[in-house]
């Protein structure tokens, strides 16, 4: 099968969209009528452009409000159709999408619907055109794909079949298994869209909140398997209505869309698109390192030293230095060309690093190259969509790349491990980041949370391995707010003792208002030990608990766009202290404002 995408998925004009789809590697496109109407180019010019770029025009869409109408309305519909058939001839495509009637239908009768669709199909046949009838989830009388197939079967025209759209089927909770009862040659087109689980009217859900495969809650892998079992052999296309995607860079969004199809094919165990199978998923077993890059990293040296990390040396050939606390390894890299320090790379431990890189590349991630001299460990990497580099290693750090650092001292003052790496993204990159973490890094999405912040709700989506060995919360701030700062969270055994020792070394922590600790006392009462509450207040430590255990955590001030969180998990607590996020975000906003005032 071939890959396709509807032009409605993308921003820009029709010509821009066509170039982006070709660049992303799609085989074909669905041309949206509205995109063509707004284009300066003629249908003949659009046809020629697609031919030069190697794109098929798989379908012209949509044609609306056909069946279930009175005779006078239907006669006008046929006249409208004739005009669109001529446009299709000029475009060089022979398939039209016909949506079930949502506006003008007044007759809920299969016989009437079949007769009118049959007449339209006869008109189309005279032009060599096929019609793919689609049951819209909000159709007046036909809203279920099984009803659409029943009407098509009754109309009994060789050039009339069904279009199956995953959103219209799965959003209504329809059983997709009945797809296998439709002969494959009567399924004329298949459209895919994912979506988050939302409680809202299906029309608004469809028009504003569709997502590319792998970003929502639909079982698209199962859907695709049913389609293949039916014997369908046409294009697999994306039709995603989404306010964000229609505002973002068209080339990047098209590449993002194409990656989602590769991910879906791999997840479904399918060969639907005919692509070379991607290497198997490499489940991360731990975080190898976190890299902070940029200028003025001396402040980060001081911060890590005060936290209790040990300086383990400078790289023998690069302006890079290493700090460790047990298995928590942070690299400071002055080669990264940014004025402000930022979280620039993540290293992951996997069973087969080569396979992990090859999988990410098969999903469209470009290789990331760094200079490596003879005798040095080559760590293969790719660039994620936002430029953050991801490295994979199958060797113990102490026996591979760590041996290249010289002049350092002994271990740090505590045995730490990277608990999680928190990544902030601007609103337009959030869904792309979630898809990359799932498809290329092998992480699973947890239930998303909305956290109140001083400039609106911050959406937090945790991506993690089932074991929790690797956790990457991804945060999305409101469009009017700055991109959330990124941070690395390091787990320790006794946070109170560590915080007290760090304070003695001169560590300043994020100021926490007394009101927070008064609220803790009111919330937990005598079940919260008075001495512990006193320690928390003294040291600026946040606290949370659930039925499984307790969570203590504190934050350092930000250096550039990065800060450190020190955490202690007690018992089986598995969260991230989300209840404390509003207080933390407000405190960080005050700290940022104070820094700017001093600057």
């Amino acid at each position: 099968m071939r890959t396709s995408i509807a032009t409605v998925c993308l921003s820009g004009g029709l010509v821009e969209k066509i170039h982006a789809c070709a660049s992303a590697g799609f085989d074909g496109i669905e041309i949206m009528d509205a995109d063509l109407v707004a284009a300066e180019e003629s249908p003949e010019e659009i046809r020629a452009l697609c031919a030069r770029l190697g794109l098929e025009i798989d379908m012209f869409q949509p044609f609306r409000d056909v069946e279930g109408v009175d005779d006078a309305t239907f006669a006008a519909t046929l006249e409208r159709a004739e005009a669109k058939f001529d446009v299709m001839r000029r475009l060089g495509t022979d398939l039209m999408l016909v949506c079930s009637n949502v506006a003008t239908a007044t007759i809920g009768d299969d016989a009437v619907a079949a007769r009118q669709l049959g007449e339209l199909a006869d008109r189309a046949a005279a032009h060599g055109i096929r019609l793919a009838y689609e049951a819209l989830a909000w159709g007046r009388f036909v809203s279920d794909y099984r009803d659409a197939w029943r009407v098509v079967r009754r109309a009994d025209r060789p050039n009339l079949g069904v279009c199956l759209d995953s959103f219209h089927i799965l959003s209504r909770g329809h059983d997709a298994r009945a797809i296998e009862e439709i002969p494959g040659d009567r399924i004329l087109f298949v459209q895919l869209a994912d979506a988050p689980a939302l409680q809202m009217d299906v029309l608004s859900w469809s028009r504003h909140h569709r997502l590319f495969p792998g970003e929502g809650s639909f079982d698209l892998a199962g859907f695709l398997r049913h389609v293949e079992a039916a014997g369908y052999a046409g294009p697999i296309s994306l039709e995603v209505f989404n306010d964000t995607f229609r505002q973002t860079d068209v080339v990047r969004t098209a590449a993002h869309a194409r990656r989602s199809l590769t991910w879906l094919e791999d997840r479904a165990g399918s060969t639907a698109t005919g692509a070379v199978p991607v290497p198997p998923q490499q489940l991360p077993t731990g975080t190898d390192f976190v890299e902070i890059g940029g200028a003025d990293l001396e402040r980060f040296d001081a911060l890590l030293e005060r936290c209790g990390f040990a300086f383990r040396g400078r790289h023998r050939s690069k302006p890079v230095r290493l700090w460790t606390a047990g298995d928590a390894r942070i690299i400071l890299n002055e080669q990264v060309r940014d004025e402000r320090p930022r979280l620039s790379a993540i290293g992951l431990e996997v069973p087969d690093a080569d396979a992990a890189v090859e999988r990410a590349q098969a999903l469209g991630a470009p290789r990331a190259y760094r200079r490596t001299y003879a005798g040095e460990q080559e760590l293969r990497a790719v660039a994620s969509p936002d430029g953050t580099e991801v490295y994979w290693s199958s060797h113990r750090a102490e026996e591979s790349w760590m041996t290249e650092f010289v002049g350092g001292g002994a271990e740090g003052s505590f045995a730490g491990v990277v608990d999680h790496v928190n990544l902030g993204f601007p609103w337009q990159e959030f869904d792309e980041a979630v898809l990359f973490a799932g498809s290329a890094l092998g992480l699973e999405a947890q239930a998303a949370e909305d956290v109140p912040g001083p400039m609106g709700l911050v959406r937090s989506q945790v991506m993690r391995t089932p074991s929790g060995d690797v956790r990457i919360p991804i945060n999305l701030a409101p469009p009017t707010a700055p991109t959330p700062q990124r941070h690395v969270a390091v787990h320790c055994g006794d946070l109170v003792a560590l915080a007290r020792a760090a304070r003695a070394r001169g560590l300043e922590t994020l100021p926490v208002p007394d009101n927070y600790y008064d609220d803790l006392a009111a919330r937990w009462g005598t079940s919260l030990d008075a001495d512990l509450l006193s320690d928390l207040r003294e040291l600026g430590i946040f606290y949370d608990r659930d039925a499984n255990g307790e969570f203590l955590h504190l934050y350092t001030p930000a250096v550039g766009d990065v800060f450190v969180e020190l955490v202690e998990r007690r018992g089986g607590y598995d969260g991230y202290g989300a209840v404390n996020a509003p207080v933390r975000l407000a405190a960080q906003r005050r700290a940022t404002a104070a820094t700017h005032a001093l600057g």
Side-chain angles (χ1 to χ4, degrees):
M1 298 181 195
R2 298 164 51 256
T3 61
S4 189
I5 184 171
T7 57
V8 73
C9 300
L10 305 170
S11 66
L14 183 54
V15 169
E16 295 172 88
K17 297 182 184 195
I18 290 169
H19 278 283
C21 293
S23 176
F26 284 96
D27 300 310
I29 57 172
E30 305 173 45
I31 290 186
M32 190 80 170
D33 193 10
D35 283 333
L36 181 63
V37 169
E40 183 179 17
E41 297 76 18
S42 68
E44 290 83 0
E45 289 172 316
I46 295 299
R47 176 180 184 173
L49 174 62
C50 289
R52 286 198 305 273
L53 295 175
L55 286 174
E56 294 286 335
I57 301 177
D58 289 320
M59 187 163 71
F60 180 72
Q61 64 118 328
F63 193 74
R64 301 184 185 278
D65 302 328
V66 174
E67 83 290 1
V69 298
D70 59 68
D71 290 343
T73 301
F74 185 63
T77 298
L78 291 178
E79 289 184 19
R80 177 164 55 94
E82 288 288 350
K84 293 304 178 182
F85 293 155
D86 185 60
V87 170
M88 292 177 63
R89 174 189 60 78
R90 297 169 65 192
L91 278 173
T93 186
D94 72 341
L95 183 63
M96 172 186 276
L97 177 69
V98 178
C99 300
S100 63
N101 200 328
V102 302
T104 61
T106 57
I107 307 167
D109 187 314
D110 277 5
V112 172
R115 174 177 59 80
Q116 292 177 338
L117 282 173
E119 288 188 39
L120 181 65
D122 291 341
R123 292 287 191 102
H127 298 270
I129 288 173
R130 299 170 298 142
L131 304 180
Y133 182 50
E134 175 184 57
L136 297 182
W138 52 93
R140 177 71 176 86
F141 296 114
V142 178
S143 59
D144 186 323
Y145 77 99
R146 293 163 291 194
D147 295 336
W149 168 232
R150 187 179 65 247
V151 171
V152 164
R153 193 168 62 245
R154 183 165 184 164
D156 193 23
R157 298 300 199 278
N159 65 323
L160 176 64
V162 294
C163 173
L164 301 177
D165 183 312
S166 64
F167 181 86
H168 295 301
I169 294 171
L170 301 179
S171 66
R172 294 290 299 269
H174 297 319
D175 188 347
R177 288 177 294 182
I179 289 172
E180 298 183 26
E181 300 171 9
I182 305 174
D185 61 352
R186 304 304 299 278
I187 302 173
L188 299 189
F189 208 72
V190 170
Q191 295 173 321
L192 297 177
D194 210 337
L198 299 174
Q199 297 297 319
M200 64 188 310
D201 70 278
V202 71
L203 177 57
S204 298
W205 189 13
S206 172
R207 284 289 175 260
H208 302 286
H209 301 287
R210 295 196 194 194
L211 297 168
F212 293 124
E215 299 171 345
S217 60
F218 288 167
D219 179 15
L220 292 186
F223 179 88
L224 185 57
R225 284 191 286 266
H226 292 311
V227 167
E228 289 188 309
Y232 175 69
I236 297 293
S237 189
L238 295 171
E239 189 192 40
V240 174
F241 297 86
N242 183 288
D243 296 342
T244 297
F245 298 155
R246 284 185 278 186
Q247 298 177 63
T248 51
D249 178 76
V250 62
V251 173
R252 183 165 169 176
T253 304
H256 170 194
R258 185 63 186 83
R259 178 182 299 117
S260 76
L261 278 181
T262 303
W263 170 87
L264 176 61
E265 186 175 43
D266 178 62
R267 178 59 65 94
S270 165
T271 57
T273 65
V276 176
V278 300
Q281 187 71 263
Q282 294 294 304
L283 196 66
T285 57
T287 301
D288 195 23
F289 64 85
V290 177
E291 178 188 272
I292 313 299
D296 196 22
L297 292 177
E298 292 78 9
R299 288 192 297 152
F300 225 96
D301 287 305
L303 183 148
L304 293 174
E305 183 177 24
R306 290 166 183 163
C307 284
F309 280 73
F311 176 64
R312 302 302 301 279
R314 298 178 181 275
H315 195 273
R316 63 191 185 205
S317 66
K318 305 178 183 75
V320 176
R321 47 196 183 269
L322 172 65
W323 291 82
T324 71
D327 289 329
R329 295 174 282 269
I330 296 180
I331 291 173
L332 304 183
N333 188 349
E334 294 178 340
Q335 296 178 112
V336 176
R337 302 190 177 201
D338 282 51
E339 292 185 5
R340 293 172 58 83
R342 63 178 177 88
L343 200 155
S344 51
I346 302 172
L348 298 176
E349 299 167 348
V350 291
D352 187 338
D354 289 339
V357 173
E358 289 161 9
R359 176 182 175 83
Q361 288 185 276
L363 290 161
R367 279 289 305 274
Y369 294 95
R370 290 195 182 174
R371 184 180 58 194
T372 302
Y373 292 103
E376 295 179 351
Q377 179 72 38
E378 180 183 7
L379 296 178
R380 299 183 64 190
V382 300
S384 64
D386 78 311
T388 303
E389 295 178 351
V390 180
Y391 291 78
W392 286 275
S393 177
S394 305
H395 307 286
R396 284 178 51 82
E398 295 86 347
E399 299 166 0
S400 57
W401 60 267
M402 277 186 66
T403 63
E404 298 167 16
F405 288 82
V406 296
E411 283 287 349
S413 64
F414 70 101
V417 65
V418 173
D419 185 86
H420 60 274
V421 180
N422 193 298
L423 303 179
F425 287 90
W427 62 273
Q428 70 272 23
E429 297 178 9
F430 182 82
D431 294 309
E432 185 180 36
V434 170
L435 176 62
F436 180 81
S439 62
L441 306 188
L443 307 181
E444 297 180 357
Q446 308 298 293
E449 266 190 276
D450 288 330
V451 176
M455 299 185 70
L457 290 178
V458 175
R459 182 182 176 194
S460 181
Q461 174 72 73
V462 174
M463 306 294 296
R464 54 172 283 175
T465 57
S467 65
D469 291 331
V470 174
R471 307 166 186 247
I472 301 183
I474 295 175
N475 287 351
L476 165 70
T480 56
T483 300
Q485 294 171 327
R486 298 181 169 192
H487 73 268
V488 53
V490 179
H491 179 270
C492 66
D494 184 343
L495 182 58
V496 171
L498 177 61
R500 186 162 281 117
R503 174 165 291 189
R505 288 189 291 266
L507 179 69
E508 296 181 4
T509 57
L510 184 71
V512 183
D514 280 341
N515 294 334
Y516 169 76
Y517 297 103
D518 292 342
D519 180 69
L520 276 186
R523 209 171 351 137
W524 299 113
T526 56
S527 68
L528 180 58
D529 181 79
D531 290 338
L532 175 59
L533 178 61
S534 177
D535 288 336
L536 299 178
R537 189 188 298 266
E538 174 195 354
L539 299 168
I541 297 175
F542 289 92
Y543 177 85
D544 189 28
R545 78 163 70 149
D546 61 18
N548 300 311
E550 299 172 290
F551 187 60
L552 283 68
H553 56 136
L554 67 77
Y555 299 90
T556 72
V559 177
D561 294 323
V562 193
F563 58 93
V564 174
E565 179 184 9
L566 298 174
V567 310
E568 178 189 349
R569 296 181 183 274
R570 296 179 176 179
Y573 184 97
D574 201 37
Y576 304 87
V579 68
N580 298 321
V583 181
R584 187 258 295 179
L585 291 169
Q588 287 178 320
R589 185 167 185 247
R590 288 192 295 271
T592 299
T595 300
H596 288 165
L598 291 174

